Amino acid sequence: MSKCACAKNRQNFEVVLEGGGGKVVFGPQSEVVCKGVSGRYPGSIVRNKTTGATVHTTPVKVG
């Protein structure tokens, strides 16, 4: 079974703990979904799996 042509252009993102230095806890998935999931993990980032670029950082909660 072959994938459709749109799959090759799809960008995959992942949620990584500890500002990108920790383990991957979610992904690969779309950017929007990963941003939502990252809210559950203070200090995590959403990273583009293809380029390695950070597209979102979740602040560490103080208090």
Side-chain angles (χ1 to χ4, degrees), residues 7-13 29-31 48-51:
K8 70 178 182 178
N9 295 325
R10 182 174 296 146
Q11 291 183 330
N12 289 315
F13 297 85
Q29 208 33 272
S30 71
E31 181 178 2
N48 184 317
K49 194 170 181 182
T50 306
T51 65

Side-chain angles (χ1 to χ4, degrees), residues 38-62:
S38 71
R40 299 181 197 149
Y41 301 98
S44 66
I45 65 163
V46 175
R47 177 171 64 193
N48 184 317
K49 194 170 181 182
T50 306
T51 65
T54 301
V55 295
H56 178 75
T57 303
T58 305
V60 177
K61 294 182 181 176
V62 179

